[in-house]
Structures are given as structure tokens and as C-alpha cells.
Amino acid sequence: MRLSQLFTKTSKTVPADETARSAQLLIQAGFIHKEMAGVYAYLPLGKQVLDNIAQIVREEMNGIGGNEVSMSILQPKDIWEKTGRWDNEKVDNWFKTKLLNGTELGISLTNEEPITDMLHEFISSYKDLPIYIYQIGNKFRNELRAKSGLLRGREFLMKDLYSFSRNQAEHDEFYEKAAEAYMRIYSRLGIGDSTYRTYASGGIFSQFSDEFQVLSDVGEDTIYVDENRRIAVNKEVFTDEILTQLGLNRDELVEQRAVEVGNIFPLGSKYSDALGVYFTDEQGGQQSIIMGCYGLGISRLMGLLAEHFADDKGLVWPEAVAPAKVYLARLGDNPDVVKQADELYNLLTAADIQVLYDDRDVRPGEKFADADLLGIPHRVVVSDKTVSSGTYEWKRRKAQAAEQVSAEQLLKTLGIDA
Ligand code: ATP
Ligand code: MG
């Protein structure tokens, strides 16, 4: 993409109504636009990051047998009444709306009920199970306080998967596979070392749920980390009795702030039974379906990654999610410079490397400041100097100084076999 064609602009002014560094930087860099508290638009570069995160999540969910769907945002009330979750006393962060004739509707905050109810059509026999269904879509929650930009929104992007198994053993096996897939996702995003599978409060069917918590000063949660076992316990279940049960030693645990980037839950047959979805076993008997749900906050992860890697110059994206791999800064408009920069842009683009081509008529200092603020992993400069010396100037986002490199070295560094 050519920056001369990008409608967004960077800004030097720190937004006064955002306290989180990630939200400030994402707005200043033109990745997101705040529409109101807890509600953001994703601008071209921000949308690219969000899509890149979603794609990693999609690959890992497909890898464990997930079927991707896109459920509706508007939901009928009756299925939520059947499970007892329509009442505002039970679920306090619903957004609801009404048809013109007065019929009440729910606005998607999660999806157990609609997805399970849909399965009346598709499940009858044991041969139809197990199945795993997921979607990547916006969720709406009337959070009391929207906080820290993308970390706690009222409209946000979530991946939610639901598993339907024939018995507890089959469920347990998938549950562990899903937990492993989650850890692979966080590793691919570059935060594997800071992420802990964490014992948290469960529901009616299980004593615990499993949260995935990333250590961070901006986190809302307090967890107790066992560094040797690489697990943690959420403060909400942190009692002597539970520590003993888990074989954890209080003296070896370190208290930390953390951000919850995923939460997986055994559900038993609570929702499938309530909605009357069963299967028949080999003997023709009616059996309950054992469910699990697996949530992962994609937009929250974008905010977390922004927060986690940023430095005093701006954003720093891991290559796996960066909106482009290369920031190509063309200095001046001398025809030889334009020609060399255009040629490099075309060559990289043809090799499927995403490039932000800074072809704007602005000062070099401004281009360098923007390259840093946007957090693109590699910066390449084409100028009178590089053209006359037959080299390129190359720098990684966090390197102190740029280096002069040959075309061959540059292409090799960027992963192209010349
Ligand atoms: P939290 O404890 O942070 O309120 P939750 O336990 O209600 O979240 P789940 O229903 O388990 O969240 O949702 C799955 C994931 O979606 C969470 O692990 C989190 O990463 C993300 N998420 C939840 N609420 C929000 C929100 N308001 N804004 C952004 N992401 C969210
Ligand atoms: Mg949670």
C-alpha cells in the first residue's frame, strides 16, 4: 500500500480521553478511531492487524477440527428463557432491542443458546458427534466501565467455539487439545512466555474454568504464578484449600497483574438438556450431549500486543500480526530514487511481502517518526545516497542504527531467495 493513498494520518497529540498507552498509540498511529467509550472503528492498518490475529486463531481452530460459522447478532428471546439466561438479574450486561411489534430480541453477547438450538436440525445419532463449531464475530456487552481502549470494550471481536461430545472422556480429550491450541496461538503472537493457563472459577458443572492470562501492569486480574509449573491461580479461587488440592505451595507463588486473553469452560449438559438437544446411542437410548465453550478475545489481544511491545517511540508489532512487514521510505523525488523505490516496492509486493510505501512528499524526519510510531518490523530507505552507493539502508524497528546493505542482503533478510 502507498501511504499517499491512505486516508488516515498519524497524530502527535496524545488523546486526552484515553489513559491506556495502547489506546493512545493505536489512535495516534491511525489504527483505530474512537466512536464512543468502549466502541472503536478499525481503520485500514488496524483492520489488517485484527485480521492477522484472527487468521492465526482460525488456523489453530481449524487444526483441531473446528467448523467456522457466522451466527446472527440478533437473537430470539425464547431460547435464552429456556436456559434461564434472559433475565437481567442473571446476566447483567445484555444489550437488548425490540421489533416494531414489541417482540424482544437479544444482541449477541455469547452464543451457547443459538448454536446449540440450531443443532436440533443436525444431530440425532451418535454418528453425528463429536462436533466443534466456532465463529469470529462481534460481541456486545453493556460493560459498566469500558476500560483501557480495546482491552474492555462494549463492542469487541471474539472467537467463540463450542464443543459437543458424546461423553465426558471425549469432552475431556478435546478440552485439552483446545487448551494446547490456545497456547500455540499465544506463542505465534509472541506472548507465549508471558501467558499462563490459570485456574479460575467454574460453573455448575465444573469446579474450575481455565483462563489464559498474560502478565501485564494494565491487567484487571490478579493471579498467583507458579513459574516452575508454568501455571497460575486466579485470586477469585485463591484459598488454602484449593492450593492444597492443586498441590501448590503458597510460598512459591508470585502475585501478578494480568490480562485475560482467553477463557475455556466445561459446560456439562446444562444448555443441551435445557434446549432439548439429545442424541441416540448405539442401543437406541437417548443421551445428553456434553458441551464446552472456548472464548478468545481477538480485539483485546490487539490492545494487549500494542501495550506489551510498545516503546517510547511507538508501536512495535510482532511480524506475525504487523500490518506490513516493510516500511519503505523514499526520500525525495529525484527520478533515480523514485525508480529504485518503485522497483523495490514492485519486487517485494510480487513476492507477497506486505509493504507500506512512504511515497509522500514529507520530510525524512517525519517519515522515520511515522515508521517508528506505526511499528512496522523492517524499515528500508531509498535516497540519493543509497542510489549513488548502490545499496539500501535497512533497520529493524528496535535497532538503534540503520545499516547499509546490498540488494542481495536485503532480500535475504526479508526472506526472499534472490
Ligand atoms: P472478563 O472476565 O474480562 O470480563 P469474561 O470472562 O466475561 O471476560 P468470556 O465471556 O469468557 O469473558 O469471553 C471470552 C474472552 O473474550 C475473554 O477471555 C476476553 O479475552 C474477551 N472479552 C471478554 N469481555 C471483553 C470485553 N468487554 N472487551 C474485549 N474483550 C473481551
Ligand atoms: Mg472470564
Side-chain angles (χ1 to χ4, degrees):
M1 167 176 267
R2 287 173 183 263
L3 283 194
S4 60
Q5 293 170 356
L6 184 68
F7 80 86
T8 58
K9 290 196 178 78
T10 57
S11 159
K12 292 200 173 61
T13 317
V14 180
D17 58 343
E18 295 284 2
T19 50
R21 173 103 173 116
S22 58
Q24 294 172 346
L25 287 174
L26 289 168
I27 290 171
Q28 286 182 265
F31 282 58
I32 60 173
H33 166 72
K34 185 177 196 168
E35 300 200 34
M36 57 184 123
V39 180
Y40 296 85
Y42 293 85
L43 306 179
L45 300 178
K47 180 175 186 308
Q48 190 60 60
V49 174
L50 199 67
D51 287 349
N52 291 345
I53 299 172
Q55 183 55 27
I56 289 174
V57 173
R58 177 176 288 118
E59 286 167 16
E60 294 296 339
M61 293 300 103
N62 290 344
I64 55 172
N67 288 201
E68 187 173 3
V69 299
S70 179
M71 301 299 287
S72 62
I73 302 296
L74 297 177
Q75 302 177 341
K77 165 181 166 182
D78 62 315
I79 53 177
W80 294 90
E81 285 181 326
K82 285 186 187 155
T83 61
R85 293 212 289 179
W86 179 255
D87 201 333
N88 290 342
E89 308 267 285
K90 270 285 172 63
V91 177
D92 63 4
N93 54 9
W94 265 117
F95 280 109
K96 293 174 181 173
T97 188
K98 276 190 188 135
L99 295 180
L100 289 178
N101 70 9
T103 305
E104 284 186 292
L105 302 177
I107 296 180
S108 178
L109 49 61
T110 182
N111 242 286
E112 285 81 2
E113 282 80 348
I115 286 193
T116 308
D117 193 58
M118 173 176 80
L119 294 182
H120 275 296
E121 247 183 86
F122 302 105
I123 292 178
S124 53
S125 132
Y126 66 94
K127 291 179 191 156
D128 302 325
L129 294 169
I131 51 174
Y132 314 112
I133 303 176
Y134 77 98
Q135 60 171 352
I136 294 173
N138 280 357
K139 295 284 176 297
F140 300 81
R141 293 188 185 175
N142 206 344
E143 303 276 2
L144 189 58
R145 260 176 227 93
K147 243 184 110 179
S148 311
L150 301 185
L151 294 182
R152 184 171 296 284
R154 296 200 168 97
E155 175 174 348
F156 58 96
L157 190 64
M158 196 207 279
K159 183 283 300 176
D160 44 326
L161 183 143
Y162 305 88
S163 66
F164 300 86
S165 303
R166 287 172 287 201
N167 53 54
Q168 195 59 42
E170 194 170 78
H171 166 85
D172 292 346
E173 193 186 321
F174 179 78
Y175 191 84
E176 281 312 306
K177 257 167 100 176
E180 285 163 18
Y182 269 47
M183 287 309 294
R184 281 197 297 276
I185 290 169
Y186 304 125
S187 295
R188 289 178 66 179
L189 296 174
I191 50 172
D193 290 346
S194 316
T195 307
Y196 293 84
R197 184 168 170 180
T198 303
Y199 288 94
S201 56
I204 306 172
F205 275 87
S206 66
Q207 186 185 8
F208 299 113
S209 71
D210 290 86
E211 291 174 346
F212 294 83
Q213 295 274 5
V214 184
L215 304 188
S216 171
D217 293 339
V218 299
E220 290 183 41
D221 289 9
T222 301
I223 63 170
Y224 295 86
V225 174
D226 182 324
E227 189 49 51
N228 290 327
R229 284 173 59 186
R230 300 245 1 123
I231 56 171
V233 180
N234 194 308
K235 190 175 187 175
E236 63 189 18
V237 295
F238 187 73
T239 63
D240 284 326
E241 199 187 336
I242 283 181
L243 293 185
T244 310
Q245 183 191 336
L246 298 174
L248 292 167
N249 183 348
R250 191 181 266 269
D251 301 334
E252 286 166 10
L253 301 177
V254 181
E255 184 179 300
Q256 300 272 17
R257 308 287 298 165
V259 172
E260 180 200 309
V261 290
N263 196 183
I264 65 177
F265 253 94
L267 298 174
S269 59
K270 180 176 153 97
Y271 299 114
S272 44
D273 285 350
L275 291 161
V277 186
Y278 300 100
F279 73 97
T280 42
D281 61 21
E282 284 95 329
Q283 285 74 44
Q286 177 178 291
Q287 298 290 345
S288 285
I289 299 174
I290 308 298
M291 290 175 58
C293 69
Y294 310 78
L296 188 144
I298 292 181
S299 51
R300 180 177 285 183
L301 270 167
M302 177 169 160
L304 185 274
L305 293 175
E307 192 82 42
H308 188 86
F309 292 107
D311 64 12
D312 56 349
K313 297 197 179 89
L315 296 163
V316 181
W317 296 112
E319 219 165 284
V321 304
K325 182 166 181 170
V326 177
Y327 192 99
L328 172 57
R330 189 190 81 199
L331 307 189
D333 51 12
N334 172 341
D336 291 339
V337 170
V338 173
K339 180 163 175 281
Q340 194 180 71
D342 281 355
E343 279 173 7
L344 182 62
Y345 177 61
N346 292 334
L347 187 142
L348 294 177
T349 307
D352 263 345
I353 291 184
Q354 297 296 320
V355 183
L356 277 187
Y357 182 10
D358 195 346
D359 58 344
R360 298 171 303 167
D361 181 18
V362 301
R363 287 177 304 105
E366 207 171 313
K367 295 196 177 192
F368 296 153
D370 280 352
D372 282 343
L373 177 59
L374 266 47
I376 310 302
H378 299 267
R379 188 189 80 191
V380 178
V381 175
V382 176
S383 64
D384 290 335
K385 202 171 108 194
T386 66
V387 168
S388 63
S389 64
T391 60
Y392 295 94
E393 193 185 299
W394 163 79
K395 176 177 134 9
R396 279 188 201 278
R397 168 62 178 80
K398 288 197 104 172
Q400 291 298 328
E403 295 173 36
Q404 300 299 123
V405 295
S406 67
E408 200 186 359
Q409 282 172 306
L410 178 67
L411 297 184
K412 202 169 154 218
T413 306
L414 298 178
I416 304 175
D417 290 324

